[in-house]
Amino acid sequence: MRVTALLLLFTSLAAAESHPAWWTYASPEATALVGIRWEALRLSPFAAAISSELAEGGSLRFPDLACLRDAQQFIISSPALLAMVTGNFPAALLREQAMQASMKATTYRGVSLWIHPSKDTLSVAVVGEGLLLVASRRSLEAAIDRTDPESARPANRRYSPLLARAARFSQNADLWVIATHLPDPLASLFVPIDAEAKSFEGSLSLREGLHLEAVLDAGSADDATGVAAELRKSIPSLPAIARGLQVAAAESSVVLALDVSREQLAAAWRDAPVVVVAPPVVAAAPPVVPAPIVAATEIPPPRVPDPPKPEAPQIIRIIGLDEGPREIILPPVKKQQ
């Protein structure tokens, strides 16, 4: 049975590979590690869910830096939460984006830091143009101390045991999760399994289709049987593409496996419902009714006042003279202005 072979594979590869050197910034006390090959997932059906966690305001509390959204890979450890991010981060570009986010520049042991003004948002350490650390200021300084050759001798350095367990996923997996127990604050963001487990290892790959493998330690054979039964009950509620999930109990472990061909994945992606956001409805303005046009012949010409009449002369008539009535013409009287 494939799930039994998968369990044997996980066991045999436990220490078969070594992890990349830059993973050692993770805390030795880490209880969970998550790897995200963002360059492979950013255009996948999983991109929206993952980017919501990586964005400002998400559960990971990353700062709002565009260069982080364009990164190649994330390795995230907790507690305390610390992300190691690879990509291309030119100093001038990072400075511009950090200043736009109101982050303040400082240094610690020669490493440039960009500190976010909000305690609820993580800060950034610039290890190089190809590697950033994202964490609280205290966690950034602790990570720098662990890797500083002057403060920590190689013989005395401690590493998280999860690094060796995660090493086998470094080449082929696009998303992987290692946890010492479930539920876990970090691992549970990426593992939608409502079950208690003493450990969990799982990976997802989008190469040549969709391939998922996971093993969780339920603690006992009876608990494994119960967890497997509950997981099988949930399969009908999964998206159609995930209903081929295989679940089996093997001793105290529960093994999950899913294989979807490239053609099936493309069809499911193509047939996924598209949410169309309608443009906002704007109330139409009442129509403008033009005033009626009156023909020029119908418009009465402006009234021109009559010219003033000349003032009439004053005439005085004298009656009773011997020579008869006599009229005397006087000049007109000017009106006062």
Side-chain angles (χ1 to χ4, degrees), residues 26 30-35 75-77 84 160 162-163 166 176-179 186:
T31 60
L33 284 176
V34 173
I75 304 296
I76 309 170
S77 65
M84 297 151 277
S160 170
L162 300 184
L163 296 178
W176 52 263
V177 179
I178 306 286
L186 173 61

Side-chain angles (χ1 to χ4, degrees), residues 63-67 91-106 113-117 124:
D64 185 18
L65 299 177
C67 61
L93 178 63
L94 179 58
R95 177 183 179 84
E96 177 184 356
Q97 296 178 5
M99 294 184 68
Q100 289 177 350
S102 300
M103 302 175 76
K104 303 299 182 182
T106 186
L113 305 181
W114 287 99
I115 306 301
H116 199 280
V124 174

Side-chain angles (χ1 to χ4, degrees), residues 117-268:
S118 173
K119 294 183 179 180
D120 295 329
T121 304
L122 301 181
S123 298
V124 174
V126 185
V127 179
E129 290 197 349
L131 178 61
L132 301 179
L133 306 181
V134 183
S136 67
R137 180 170 186 168
R138 181 176 180 179
S139 295
L140 291 176
E141 293 176 353
I144 294 169
D145 287 341
R146 285 194 297 273
T147 55
D148 184 8
E150 296 182 359
S151 61
R153 295 181 180 179
N156 298 328
R157 290 181 60 182
R158 297 172 51 240
Y159 302 100
S160 170
L162 300 184
L163 296 178
R165 293 170 57 184
R168 60 181 170 275
F169 300 125
S170 63
Q171 298 298 322
N172 299 319
D174 296 320
L175 174 66
W176 52 263
V177 179
I178 306 286
T180 58
H181 60 272
L182 287 181
D184 176 89
L186 173 61
S188 296
L189 295 176
F190 302 92
V191 180
I193 295 178
D194 185 15
E196 293 187 2
K198 290 188 174 181
S199 68
F200 177 88
E201 297 182 16
S203 68
L204 178 150
S205 173
L206 292 179
R207 304 175 190 189
E208 302 299 325
L210 169 63
H211 308 284
L212 181 148
E213 303 173 347
V215 176
L216 64 88
D217 182 359
S220 69
D222 289 343
D223 289 339
T225 300
V227 170
E230 291 299 319
L231 290 175
R232 292 192 198 98
K233 291 179 183 179
S234 67
I235 291 177
S237 63
L238 297 176
I241 195 173
R243 291 173 191 165
L245 180 69
Q246 301 178 56
V247 181
E251 298 181 351
S252 63
S253 298
V254 178
V255 184
L256 298 89
L258 175 66
D259 286 304
V260 177
S261 69
R262 178 186 295 178
E263 293 74 20
Q264 291 173 317
L265 180 61

Side-chain angles (χ1 to χ4, degrees), residues 36 38 42 46-56 58 69 190:
I36 303 170
W38 184 233
R42 60 160 42 98
F46 307 99
I50 295 173
S51 62
S52 67
E53 301 295 349
L54 300 176
E56 183 180 28
R69 296 190 290 271
F190 302 92

